[in-house]
Amino acid sequence: MPLIKNGHYIDDAYIRIEGEAPVPDDGDVLVDAVRLKDDTAVLRPRQGKLGVLLMNTVDAEELVPHLSKLALVALEFPQFHDGRAFSQARVLRHTLHFKGEIRATGKPMADQAGHLVRCGFDCFETNTRQPLDVWQRALDAVRGVYQRDYAGLGDVVRKDL
Amino acid sequence: MYRYDEFDHTFVRERVAQFRDQTLRRISGELTEDEFRPLRLMNGLYLQLHAYMLRIAIPYGTLSSKQMRQLAFIGDKWDKNYGHFTTRQNLQFNWPKLEDTADILQALADVEMHAIQTSGNCIRNVTADHWAGVAADEIEDPRPWAELLRQWSSLHPEFCFLPRKFKIAVTGAEADRAAVAFHDIGLKIVRNADGEAGFQVLVGGGMGRTPMIAKVCRAWLPKGELLSYIEAVMRVYNLYGRRDNKYKARIKILLHEEGDDVFRKMVDEEYEKVKAAGGVSHLVPEKEIARIETYFAPPIYDALPDEDAQLTQHLRANSKMARWYEVNCAKHKQRGYTIVNISLKPEGGIPGDATSDQMRAVAGIADKFSLSEIRVSHAQNLVLPYVRKKDVVAVYHALEKYGMASANLGLVTDIIACPGLDYCALATARSIPIAQAISKRFEAPERQKQIGDLAIKISGCINACGHHHAGHIGILGLDKAGKEFYQITLGGSADEHASIGTIMGPGFSDAEVPTAIEKIVDTYIGLRQPGETFLGAYRRLGAAPFKEAIYAQAAE
């Protein structure tokens, strides 16, 4: 699936490691979050970045012990209207101060672009029917944000203009 | 009233443009109906039985005369010259065309209105006491906080794709006229032991197929913490609310399944994290709430005697008007003023419907006699909040001219009814004709007065948009093998002593309903003690005498 970041298509640098499959010695890898628990193959020092895919039924706080090792957290939208990942992203960014990349995977929709960005996502998986320009248009559609703290502007609601 | 500034204007205009784009993409086929549905719903656009329906937000039920005129204009230009006021203090147009909706939204934006989040699995239009700011029993005006919630919830980045819809109601008075206990979050302004006003936060109320009374989640919350606390509640719900079954997806089910204490602990823990992460910025900036409060400052009232001698004289001379004044006008917090309630329940009429002409008439009356302000109540009536007693006679005659002087506020014919099977795709039975038949049956004014306070509420399906669970008499329309039948519940109440009605027994056919209601009412009249309301009598007597009255014949 194509990836969009900063208004451009990007190549996915991460190799998806499905299930219990072995983790190569180098290269950026994306593993299931559950493998962080006690999987030494994942946790050993190695060349390349580590990313995890977190199910939307798991607390983002479970990543806390490993957060500093993670360059990417991918959150899932099994359907675009299943909005749990919005809260997971918000917790990662706001409560846990995660500074790495947060990727929306599964079936996020371009029309959700504003919501995604404000909750802390910076990379989106998209489908061929919603090309780059649709995402960009959605991002610019409503520029005002009442929830200033979600826009990184500090307060819980907007102040005077 | 709140007035948009440049930020609000731009926000709504851009939202309209975004929706126009989404609509065009749907028409071109770029968006599938599955994709478009949640997008259109988040802008109040439903697909009903015969046509689209557009639900327009009237935030906390407050309207200016200018806005009311625009609604009339929209009704004339893009609908069938009428609109329907709902139990959510909103207005629905039943016949718009998909391709016109963006233009309608633009016309709304021109008068600082929108349809944002009047539907969909998001935080819906916030409702409030329709007498806010003028009620004699008010602790504080809840409208600034309702407006703040409106802004805060608009396109909330995190909470627009919730497990299910989410409704918030606010009241600042002792008597609960906003049914806060039947909302996902109900907010009541209360004073703590030190006399400071704050919010009592109730969570997990609702109607639908599993009616529940909300539980107190926080007995007293400092006002400035409102948004952050609600953020914590919403996050717990968004993360842990059920998504496997839409009938079990409301927050009331989460609260029920977790248990009150566990749920409260989840919220408290989340709230501590929100506070820790946000620092002082988790508080509503005093400057911002002060800015909003200035819009709701009380008007400059005339210094008037509390009783108007001329009015008293007129009332003596005109018993019809006197009855209307007694029934429809309520105590104002300001001397010499009254709250005029306009019934949209003419005997035998369709509850909540108003023609464009009626809307314009109300706008004109409000301009002349109520500081250009109008309210919509959740009981589907209108309110003129600032009427001088000396203007009451003129107001009455103006209303009478447009068929809006029914003297039945809170009486047996002031029936709440959802649109039902006449319009709604979800309905299992008709509601409107049942309301009309009952209203006809009890139309005699003397009889209505004799019966006194009685709230009949009718829903055309289990989703309970007609609030039947909270009706003193509730009627639920169902379908059994292609035939409509109606279940009767008694003893529900939406006020500060909220209760859920009890089902009496087997249902009735549409033709049998008015007689069954009549038997219930007659039973009450026969058994009541002096001064006892229907609800009071039911609570004292229990269901037995009423059951006997409506089922006796069937048993013979």
Side-chain angles (χ1 to χ4, degrees):
Chain A
M1 292 269 249
L3 281 177
I4 293 175
K5 189 176 182 182
N6 295 330
H8 299 283
Y9 284 118
I10 59 161
D11 292 326
D12 191 354
Y14 289 83
I15 302 157
R16 174 81 175 98
I17 310 294
E18 302 278 354
E20 299 291 307
V23 175
D25 287 338
D26 49 21
D28 302 345
V29 291
L30 179 63
V31 302
D32 292 339
V34 66
R35 292 186 72 171
L36 289 177
K37 278 213 169 74
D38 48 12
D39 195 327
T40 47
V42 170
L43 296 171
R44 75 196 143 118
R46 47 184 295 284
Q47 294 293 313
K49 294 181 197 162
L50 178 60
V52 293
L53 178 65
L54 188 69
M55 307 259 288
N56 73 359
T57 49
V58 179
D59 278 357
E61 296 197 10
E62 296 203 1
L63 299 179
V64 166
H66 312 286
L67 219 47
S68 58
K69 296 190 200 80
L70 298 177
L72 165 74
V73 177
L75 300 173
E76 56 160 356
F77 287 82
Q79 298 297 330
F80 72 90
H81 49 79
D82 181 341
R84 281 175 275 203
F86 288 113
S87 285
Q88 289 178 307
R90 172 71 176 167
V91 167
L92 279 169
R93 283 281 186 249
H94 194 66
T95 316
L96 305 176
H97 310 290
F98 178 62
K99 300 282 189 258
E101 183 174 304
I102 303 182
R103 179 187 292 185
T105 66
K107 298 175 181 169
M109 225 180 141
D111 299 82
Q112 296 172 306
H115 296 80
L116 289 164
V117 167
R118 282 158 199 153
C119 284
F121 288 94
D122 42 21
C123 182
F124 327 108
E125 217 168 68
T126 183
N127 57 41
T128 45
R129 287 190 311 110
Q130 296 208 301
L132 201 57
D133 65 305
V134 179
W135 280 83
Q136 205 51 44
R137 225 164 1 132
L139 259 182
D140 297 336
V142 183
R143 293 161 301 166
V145 194
Y146 284 106
Q147 311 78 10
R148 285 175 62 93
D149 58 338
Y150 283 76
L153 297 172
D155 287 309
V156 69
V157 282
R158 76 190 173 97
K159 290 190 281 196
D160 288 357
L161 294 163
Chain B
M1 268 186 70
Y2 184 72
R3 297 301 311 266
Y4 281 15
D5 59 20
E6 201 44 45
F7 182 97
D8 301 309
H9 271 296
T10 307
F11 181 88
V12 171
R13 270 199 303 266
E14 290 185 344
R15 182 73 184 102
V16 172
Q18 183 186 41
F19 186 69
R20 191 183 294 276
D21 174 64
Q22 289 167 342
T23 306
L24 291 174
R25 282 157 59 211
R26 172 66 195 121
I27 291 170
S28 79
E30 184 190 323
L31 286 175
T32 65
E33 180 54 26
D34 267 359
E35 288 166 333
F36 183 57
R37 190 189 307 114
L39 302 178
R40 68 168 159 75
L41 286 179
M42 237 179 289
N43 232 327
L45 190 64
Y46 280 78
L47 193 53
Q48 295 222 316
L49 276 181
H50 314 291
Y52 280 99
M53 177 272 277
L54 183 64
R55 183 182 293 153
I56 290 155
I58 300 175
Y60 37 94
T62 298
L63 268 178
S64 70
S65 53
K66 186 179 170 191
Q67 291 172 327
M68 186 66 110
R69 279 197 190 86
Q70 191 78 334
L71 294 174
F73 166 78
I74 291 169
D76 282 345
K77 180 155 184 190
W78 289 294
D79 206 279
K80 296 186 177 180
N81 314 97
Y82 74 99
H84 176 75
F85 290 97
T86 77
T87 53
R88 301 273 314 142
Q89 299 177 305
N90 291 322
L91 180 94
Q92 294 181 182
F93 284 118
N94 285 311
W95 308 97
K97 292 193 179 69
L98 176 60
E99 55 270 32
D100 290 336
T101 48
D103 290 336
I104 297 174
L105 293 172
Q106 184 56 55
L108 289 170
D110 290 345
V111 293
E112 306 182 5
M113 294 185 83
H114 58 69
I116 295 170
Q117 289 165 219
T118 52
S119 177
N121 294 336
C122 49
I123 302 172
R124 301 290 187 87
N125 181 41
V126 175
T127 55
D129 183 355
H130 46 275
W131 293 349
V134 292
D137 66 342
E138 192 166 84
I139 296 165
E140 270 184 20
D141 188 347
R143 288 173 303 164
W145 298 96
E147 172 59 26
L148 188 77
L149 285 165
R150 180 192 75 80
Q151 297 186 14
W152 171 82
S153 61
S154 293
L155 300 193
H156 195 289
E158 188 178 343
F159 305 128
C160 277
F161 298 89
L162 299 167
R164 200 75 178 84
K165 59 188 168 183
F166 202 93
K167 299 174 180 177
I168 302 176
V170 200
T171 182
E174 279 160 24
D176 179 5
R177 288 174 288 267
V180 298
F182 281 103
H183 284 75
D184 295 286
I185 290 181
L187 299 168
K188 269 173 104 159
I189 297 180
V190 293
R191 293 195 189 282
N192 66 6
D194 297 330
E196 192 188 341
F199 288 105
Q200 185 185 81
V201 185
L202 298 132
V203 179
M207 306 227 194
R209 61 187 66 204
T210 320
M212 288 189 187
I213 307 270
K215 303 287 192 322
V216 175
C217 207
R218 200 41 97 93
W220 189 87
L221 182 77
K223 289 194 284 184
E225 298 185 31
L226 180 66
L227 297 185
S228 298
Y229 186 78
I230 290 185
E231 180 181 322
V233 176
M234 300 303 306
R235 183 165 301 134
V236 166
Y237 172 55
N238 192 37
L239 285 169
Y240 307 112
R242 286 180 61 173
R243 291 175 189 259
D244 59 321
N245 178 344
K246 77 176 207 174
Y247 300 116
K248 296 189 184 296
R250 295 287 289 271
I251 196 170
K252 62 189 174 189
I253 303 292
L254 175 66
L255 189 143
H256 181 73
E257 289 181 352
E258 296 291 338
D260 305 1
D261 291 337
V262 173
F263 179 84
R264 218 173 280 126
K265 193 163 161 266
M266 289 162 84
V267 169
D268 285 346
E269 282 176 8
E270 185 55 42
Y271 184 48
E272 288 308 314
K273 288 173 198 160
V274 170
K275 280 204 283 194
V280 285
S281 74
H282 81 281
L283 297 172
V284 175
E286 281 179 23
K287 216 174 127 195
E288 175 62 4
I289 191 67
R291 180 184 79 86
I292 294 174
E293 273 170 344
T294 56
Y295 293 103
F296 298 99
I300 298 164
Y301 287 111
D302 294 346
L304 296 168
D306 199 35
E307 293 308 322
D308 184 82
Q310 275 204 316
L311 171 63
T312 312
Q313 240 175 30
H314 277 286
L315 294 178
R316 260 193 219 117
N318 183 338
S319 62
K320 205 172 156 201
M321 181 163 68
R323 188 180 311 115
W324 173 83
Y325 181 71
E326 188 194 334
V327 173
N328 282 41
C329 295
K331 190 169 164 51
H332 203 287
K333 63 163 67 159
Q334 180 68 25
R335 285 165 60 87
Y337 283 74
T338 185
I339 303 168
V340 170
N341 295 279
I342 304 171
S343 166
L344 293 181
K345 317 288 177 63
E347 284 73 9
I350 297 175
D353 272 13
T355 64
S356 289
D357 286 342
Q358 287 177 322
M359 290 185 219
R360 271 185 291 265
V362 170
I365 297 168
D367 277 339
K368 253 177 143 168
F369 302 115
S370 181
L371 305 177
S372 303
E373 195 177 313
I374 302 146
R375 307 283 179 79
V376 182
S377 80
H378 85 267
Q380 304 178 283
N381 292 316
L382 300 177
V383 179
L384 299 171
Y386 304 107
V387 177
R388 294 181 297 196
K389 284 184 180 170
K390 64 183 197 181
D391 294 329
V392 160
V393 175
V395 168
Y396 174 77
H397 288 305
L399 290 172
E400 200 178 27
K401 202 170 145 194
Y402 286 89
M404 290 187 286
S406 295
N408 61 356
L409 193 87
L411 301 184
V412 56
T413 59
D414 184 5
I415 299 170
I416 289 180
C418 72
L421 200 53
D422 291 292
Y423 294 97
C424 180
L426 303 173
T428 42
R430 294 163 305 149
S431 313
I432 292 170
I434 304 300
Q436 290 174 302
I438 296 170
S439 174
K440 275 311 251 186
R441 182 70 65 98
F442 288 99
E443 69 183 338
E446 298 73 27
R447 192 171 181 202
Q448 295 194 45
K449 194 181 170 188
Q450 184 208 10
I451 297 165
D453 281 356
L454 181 56
I456 298 183
K457 306 189 182 193
I458 308 174
S459 304
C461 81
I462 195 82
N463 292 310
C465 296
H467 294 186
H468 66 277
H469 296 301
H472 301 161
I473 300 177
I475 301 171
L476 166 63
L478 296 165
D479 173 282
K480 196 157 70 182
K483 257 189 99 96
E484 293 164 306
F485 75 105
Y486 296 85
Q487 217 169 53
I488 294 178
T489 56
L490 297 184
S493 169
D495 66 10
E496 61 279 14
H497 308 291
S499 55
I500 293 163
T502 305
I503 299 170
M504 288 297 103
F508 296 88
S509 74
D510 54 349
E512 292 165 340
V513 171
T515 302
I517 302 302
E518 205 165 20
K519 285 178 180 167
I520 290 166
V521 169
D522 288 344
T523 304
Y524 153 64
I525 302 268
L527 295 174
R528 71 179 169 187
Q529 294 175 346
E532 196 174 46
T533 61
F534 176 85
L535 187 63
Y538 176 81
R539 284 178 175 165
R540 177 174 58 85
L541 295 161
F546 299 97
K547 275 189 189 172
E548 200 186 307
I550 52 176
Y551 296 115
Q553 211 178 2
E556 276 165 18

